[in-house]
Every structure is written in C-alpha cells, then in structure tokens.
Amino acid sequence: MKVLVVALLCLVVTSATVKFNWYEVIRVYPKTSVQLNFIRHLEHSGKYDFWKTAATKGFADIMASKENMISLKSMLRVTGIRYSIFISDVQGKIDQINAIPRKEAGPKSSRYALTWDNYYQYETIREFCYALAQDYPDLVTLEVVGTSLEGRELVLLKISSGGEGKPGIFVDGGIHAREWISPATVTYMMREMVENYAAHPEVVDNVDWYFMPLINPDGYEFSHTDNRMWRKTRSTTSIAGCYGADPNRNWDFHWAEGGTSSYPCSEIYTGPVPFSEIEMANVRDAILARASQLRIYLTVHSYGQMLLIPWGYDAVYPEDYPELEELGLAATDALTAVYNTKYDVGCSGVIYGPAAGASDDWNKGVAGIKYSYTLELPDNGRYGFLLPATEIMPVAVETWEFFRVLAERISAN
Ligand code: 0X9
Ligand code: ZN
C-alpha cells in the first residue's frame, strides 16, 4: 500500500511538470528594420518564448512547440528572415543534461548542503545564507528584507570587515527564474569572500558587499518543480489566466516603454503598475535604504556573455558612459584571461535592444548608483538556459576575477 501511495505521488509530481517534447529553439537573424520590427512584433504577441530578445544587431533565439514552429518557420521564409537550429528537442536536451553523471567539483561544507556541482532549490540556498551568517558573524550580517508573494524569504547578506566610509557594491541574482547559473554563481562569490577571506582580504576589506542571491524565489522554485523554462514571477494580477510579470520590466524608470508588453501572457509583461511585484518592491526598498553608500549595482543574469551598460530603455548613452565602459572592460578582461571566455561590453539599448523597466536602469536613473550593470553569464548559443551543472565551477571561477576587479577599482577611486 505504502509503495502504491509513493508511486501515485511520483506520478502526480511528474505529470505536473511541463514537458517540452520536440519544442525547438531557433536563432533568427533579422537584417532589415522591417524584419526586425516583425520579430519584435512576434515577441510582444506572447505566442513564442523568446530565449533572447531581438537584438538591434544580430539575432533572437525563439522557442516554440513543433506545431507553432511550423507556422513560425513559414512566416520567416515569407519575410526572408534567415534562421538556424539552436536546440532541436528541448525536452531531449533537458533529459540529456539531467543524465550527465554528477562529478564532484568545487568546495563542500559539512554546515550546509549547497555545492557548486549541481543546481539547488530555494531552501538549500537559504540554508547556505544562514550558515554563512552563523559561522562568520564577524564578516556576515543576514537580513530578511521582506518575503515573496508565496512567503519565501528575500535574504540579504552584508559581507563586510567593518569600518566606516567604504564604497558599497550591491549584487543580485535569480531575477529571472530559469537562469539557474545566476544564483549558483552569486552564491559562489559570497562563499569565496567569506570562507576564503584570508586568500584575498582586500576584496572584502575595501568594500561593503550586499548580496541578494535569489530575488525571484517563487519563479525560481516553479522552474525547478513545474516548468523548467519559467522566467517571470508567480503573481496572479492578470485577468487573462496567465501568471507572473517579468520582474525585469517592472521597475519604475521609463516603465512600459520599448521592449515590453502589456499583455499578461507575454514573457516581457510589465505588470499592471510599476513595482506591482512584491519581490521587486522589497529589493527596491533594500537598495534605497543603502543608496548613498552604493557605488556599483550588478544584476546577474544569463545567457549571452555580455556586460550591458545603461541605458537599456532605448539606444541612448548616459553622459558618463565612458567611465562605465572602462570599468566594465577592465573587469571582463580579467574574466576572459582565465579561460578565454569572451564577453561583449556595450550600451544595452544598442547591443541588446531596448528593454525598459529593468533594474539596471532604475538603479542608475533613480537610485543614483553610478556604475550599474547587467551581467549575462554563459553560454552563448549551445545550451542557453540549460547550461549543464558541470559548467558552474568554470563560470564561477572566471567570474570571481570580474568581482575582484570591481572591488579593486571602486576602492581605488
Ligand atoms: O531582457 C532582460 O531582462 C535582460 N536579458 S535576459 O535575457 N536575461 O532576460 C537584459 C536587460 C538589460 N537591461 C536593460 N534593458 N535595461
Ligand atoms: Zn535575465
């Protein structure tokens, strides 16, 4: 009987998971402005899942079911837009990645379950944060800055060796649920600063760090339990029967302008009003409470290997762009020197395409944090969001150099 109950439970859990059998991801290359507008129109329709938005120059990555892909491809042929296959069977790719044997790599602790050779759910990340704070009270202060819609804690960790007047750097991860490499990398940075403090004390001694490794915990959890490709929050503000808003279109700076959608089923839905998403409102307040100290805001996403500099609401350069670019290039050069992973550094609205209401723009434009960046971690067109866990360590190790340069440069000027 017990076996039967367990078997039934397993069935329920499995059948609740969205399957992506024969879903395809294609990379499309609009060349003319008419073609680009056509692709952007498709994105706003909400019918397709854009893994990557239609960049001003370059390409967009689009996922669709087999049926939707047939009509999409015929539209592309009619409009003369070239495309190539990125992933031919998304579910096949997910299953293949899940079957990769787990190779133990990276640090391990007896105090928490989190490691960097696997992706973990919210609770394990939360436990890690509490363990760091408990074990290193001289370096780490934990604060819960609010809860998510479903009641999960929004954890903020301050890493500081004390003293007054230090520049502050605020880092967040996991704003987009399916970008699993983001919280994995951000937690590694936290661990390296705290548990390995003695190896590079200057990284912590010269800066006060503020980390929020998982700012969309409901969406993240949902991407583990129900739908691996979930991007948004899990709010129910819409009447269209669709859940969630894009947390990175929800910030109150040029809200609902270019590269957004007012259609609740779209992946780039703005939400009904700015800061409608409780998680973003809580992060906003946590930032505002420290804004006068903060010199750098860094939000960690994936994928695409880009460092995006404001503005992103349109192809507009801030007047101090050269300074942001200089620091960005220094940091990405250090990253690239590790394993030769190349990053594009540029103005978001230009190299990525307009996407208004994002956190980086708000942090610069409203909170007044001069150096505000979006870091798009690897990869660049092989696995996309499905980056295998075996890649966490290489990504974390190279990204550490990026963080090191931020600390060094910001404390020097
Ligand atoms: O579109 C986004 O929200 C970010 N890319 S992602 O593929 N991770 O979704 C980029 C946001 C860049 N910043 C602005 N447009 N302001
Ligand atoms: Zn993202």
Side-chain angles (χ1 to χ4, degrees), residues 175-176 179 231 248 301-302 376 385:
I175 188 171
H176 284 140
E179 298 166 8
R231 166 182 169 92
N248 212 30
H301 290 242
S302 77
E376 298 275 4
F385 302 119

Side-chain angles (χ1 to χ4, degrees), residues 50 53 73 87 131 139 182 188 194 286 301 324 329 332 389 408:
F50 273 64
T53 192
K73 282 180 183 170
I87 296 176
L139 278 182
S182 162
Y188 183 90
V194 175
H301 290 242
L324 276 80
L329 285 170
T332 49
E408 185 187 297

Side-chain angles (χ1 to χ4, degrees), residues 77-147:
R77 274 191 290 270
V78 170
T79 45
I81 301 174
R82 208 165 58 77
Y83 66 87
S84 59
I85 310 291
F86 175 173
I87 296 176
S88 56
D89 172 16
V90 171
Q91 191 59 46
K93 198 69 147 186
I94 293 174
D95 296 343
Q96 180 203 329
I97 286 163
N98 287 341
I100 298 175
R102 194 172 145 199
K103 255 208 263 144
E104 288 202 1
K108 255 187 175 332
S109 168
S110 57
R111 302 277 293 138
Y112 50 80
L114 193 72
T115 62
W116 288 270
D117 50 24
N118 208 354
Y119 294 112
Y120 291 90
Q121 289 179 231
Y122 158 81
E123 193 47 51
T124 307
I125 294 175
R126 181 182 162 275
E127 178 208 45
F128 159 77
C129 294
Y130 275 83
L132 273 195
Q134 211 161 54
D135 294 353
Y136 297 88
D138 294 343
L139 278 182
V140 182
T141 321
L142 183 147
E143 195 184 323
V144 176
V145 299
T147 50

Side-chain angles (χ1 to χ4, degrees), residues 347-375:
C347 176
S348 192
V350 175
I351 67 165
Y352 179 82
S359 67
D360 51 3
D361 277 6
W362 182 90
N363 272 284
K364 183 165 180 58
V366 180
I369 304 172
K370 181 180 174 77
Y371 295 94
S372 177
Y373 299 100
T374 295
L375 184 66

Side-chain angles (χ1 to χ4, degrees), residues 137-191:
D138 294 343
L139 278 182
V140 182
T141 321
L142 183 147
E143 195 184 323
V144 176
V145 299
T147 50
S148 69
L149 189 72
E150 293 173 359
R152 296 187 176 88
E153 288 181 353
L154 296 165
V155 176
L156 169 76
L157 237 68
K158 178 179 180 185
I159 301 177
S160 164
S161 51
E164 295 290 304
K166 294 181 184 176
I169 302 183
F170 190 100
V171 181
D172 66 46
I175 188 171
H176 284 140
R178 61 192 174 185
E179 298 166 8
W180 289 3
I181 188 65
S182 162
T185 304
V186 173
T187 50
Y188 183 90
M189 300 305 126
M190 296 157 65
R191 190 214 68 88

Side-chain angles (χ1 to χ4, degrees), residues 374-388:
T374 295
L375 184 66
E376 298 275 4
L377 293 173
D379 62 7
N380 197 7
R382 178 151 183 230
Y383 293 102
F385 302 119
L386 302 175
L387 194 71

